[in-house]
Protein backbone atom coordinates (compact mmCIF):
# COMPACT_ATOMS: atom_id res chain seq x y z
CA UNK A 1 0.00 0.00 0.00
CA UNK A 2 1.45 3.32 -1.10
CA UNK A 3 1.70 5.94 1.62
CA UNK A 4 3.04 9.45 1.69
CA UNK A 5 2.80 11.04 5.12
CA UNK A 6 3.67 14.71 5.57
CA UNK A 7 4.64 16.28 8.87
CA UNK A 8 6.17 19.46 10.21
CA UNK A 9 3.49 21.99 9.41
CA UNK A 10 2.20 24.53 11.89
CA UNK A 11 1.89 28.17 12.76
CA UNK A 12 4.96 30.36 12.24
CA UNK A 13 5.54 34.09 12.28
CA UNK A 14 6.59 35.95 9.14
CA UNK A 15 10.33 35.60 8.65
CA UNK A 16 10.40 32.28 10.46
CA UNK A 17 11.38 28.82 9.30
CA UNK A 18 9.83 25.37 9.11
CA UNK A 19 11.00 22.01 7.89
CA UNK A 20 8.47 19.73 6.28
CA UNK A 21 9.07 16.00 6.05
CA UNK A 22 7.45 13.34 3.92
CA UNK A 23 7.76 9.65 4.76
CA UNK A 24 7.21 7.36 1.79
CA UNK A 25 6.38 3.66 1.75
CA UNK A 26 4.85 1.02 -0.49
CA UNK A 27 6.76 1.83 -3.66
CA UNK A 28 10.33 2.05 -4.94
CA UNK A 29 11.08 5.50 -3.60
CA UNK A 30 14.46 5.84 -5.32
CA UNK A 31 12.78 5.42 -8.74
CA UNK A 32 10.38 8.34 -8.34
CA UNK A 33 10.78 12.03 -8.79
CA UNK A 34 9.57 13.75 -5.62
CA UNK A 35 7.75 17.06 -5.47
CA UNK A 36 6.17 19.42 -2.97
CA UNK A 37 2.97 21.16 -3.99
CA UNK A 38 0.85 23.62 -2.08
CA UNK A 39 -2.72 24.85 -2.23
CA UNK A 40 -3.81 28.07 -0.63
CA UNK A 41 -7.49 28.78 0.14
CA UNK A 42 -9.36 29.64 -3.05
CA UNK A 43 -6.34 28.92 -5.26
CA UNK A 44 -5.21 26.07 -7.46
CA UNK A 45 -2.60 23.60 -6.34
CA UNK A 46 0.84 24.72 -7.47
CA UNK A 47 4.25 23.10 -7.71
CA UNK A 48 6.62 24.47 -5.09
CA UNK A 49 9.74 22.34 -5.57
CA UNK A 50 10.90 19.11 -7.22
CA UNK A 51 13.90 16.83 -6.99
CA UNK A 52 15.02 14.22 -9.48
CA UNK A 53 15.56 10.54 -8.86
CA UNK A 54 19.28 10.67 -8.10
CA UNK A 55 18.67 13.93 -6.26
CA UNK A 56 21.11 15.82 -8.38
CA UNK A 57 18.66 18.30 -9.93
CA UNK A 58 16.14 20.50 -8.19
CA UNK A 59 13.65 23.06 -9.42
CA UNK A 60 11.61 25.68 -7.61
CA UNK A 61 8.71 27.99 -8.17
CA UNK A 62 9.92 31.54 -8.69
CA UNK A 63 8.04 32.62 -5.57
CA UNK A 64 10.16 30.40 -3.29
CA UNK A 65 13.60 30.46 -4.96
CA UNK A 66 16.31 31.33 -2.49
CA UNK A 67 14.02 30.65 0.49
CA UNK A 68 13.04 26.97 0.18
CA UNK A 69 15.27 23.93 -0.25
CA UNK A 70 14.10 20.46 -1.23
CA UNK A 71 16.16 17.39 -0.41
CA UNK A 72 15.74 13.63 -0.28
CA UNK A 73 17.23 10.70 1.58
CA UNK A 74 16.80 7.59 -0.53
CA UNK A 75 18.11 5.37 2.26
CA UNK A 76 15.32 6.53 4.58
CA UNK A 77 12.60 7.02 1.94
CA UNK A 78 12.22 10.61 3.02
CA UNK A 79 11.87 13.94 1.26
CA UNK A 80 12.17 17.29 2.99
CA UNK A 81 11.29 20.91 2.36
CA UNK A 82 13.27 23.44 4.36
CA UNK A 83 11.41 26.73 4.32
CA UNK A 84 12.89 29.99 5.54
CA UNK A 85 12.00 33.68 5.40
CA UNK A 86 8.38 32.62 5.38
CA UNK A 87 5.75 35.07 4.23
CA UNK A 88 1.98 35.19 4.79
CA UNK A 89 1.59 34.27 1.09
CA UNK A 90 3.24 30.92 1.89
CA UNK A 91 0.19 29.95 3.94
CA UNK A 92 -1.22 26.79 2.37
CA UNK A 93 -1.66 23.07 2.70
CA UNK A 94 1.58 21.48 1.51
CA UNK A 95 1.41 18.13 -0.27
CA UNK A 96 4.08 15.57 -0.95
CA UNK A 97 3.94 14.04 -4.44
CA UNK A 98 5.73 11.05 -5.96
CA UNK A 99 5.80 10.92 -9.73
CA UNK A 100 6.92 8.42 -12.31
CA UNK A 101 4.26 7.02 -14.61
CA UNK A 102 1.67 7.39 -11.83
CA UNK A 103 1.19 10.12 -9.28
CA UNK A 104 0.96 9.45 -5.58
CA UNK A 105 -0.16 12.08 -3.10
CA UNK A 106 -0.07 12.59 0.62
CA UNK A 107 -2.94 14.12 2.59
CA UNK A 108 -1.08 17.34 3.23
CA UNK A 109 0.15 19.40 6.16
CA UNK A 110 -1.04 22.91 6.92
CA UNK A 111 1.45 25.77 7.10
CA UNK A 112 0.15 29.05 8.46
CA UNK A 113 2.36 32.13 8.37
CA UNK A 114 0.88 34.82 10.55
CA UNK A 115 1.78 37.22 13.31
Amino acid sequence: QVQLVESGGGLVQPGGSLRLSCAASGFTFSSYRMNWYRQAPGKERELVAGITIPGGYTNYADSVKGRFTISRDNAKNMVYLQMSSLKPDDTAVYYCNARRVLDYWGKGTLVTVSS
Side-chain angles (χ1 to χ4, degrees):
Q1 182 183 359
V2 172
Q3 279 194 314
L4 293 172
V5 181
E6 302 95 337
S7 61
L11 174 63
V12 63
Q13 292 187 341
S17 299
L18 279 177
R19 187 196 196 204
L20 305 184
S21 300
C22 173
S25 61
F27 63 100
T28 307
F29 178 80
S30 60
S31 297
Y32 280 71
R33 176 186 177 93
M34 298 301 298
N35 304 295
W36 284 98
Y37 281 77
R38 68 185 181 187
Q39 188 166 19
K43 295 187 177 181
E44 293 187 355
R45 191 173 296 190
E46 63 172 348
L47 177 66
V48 175
I51 187 165
T52 56
I53 293 169
Y57 178 78
T58 57
N59 64 288
Y60 298 92
D62 287 344
S63 58
V64 307
K65 280 181 182 176
R67 301 189 298 121
F68 290 11
T69 302
I70 187 171
S71 61
R72 67 189 294 163
D73 186 335
N74 289 334
K76 296 181 179 179
N77 287 6
M78 296 289 294
V79 61
Y80 306 97
L81 186 68
Q82 179 67 48
M83 306 185 295
S84 60
S85 302
L86 283 161
K87 306 174 182 179
D89 283 350
D90 296 318
T91 295
V93 177
Y94 284 72
Y95 296 91
C96 180
N97 165 258
R99 176 167 297 146
R100 191 178 177 185
V101 175
L102 299 176
D103 269 327
Y104 300 128
W105 294 91
K107 293 183 178 180
T109 185
L110 177 62
V111 173
T112 303
V113 184
S114 176
S115 55

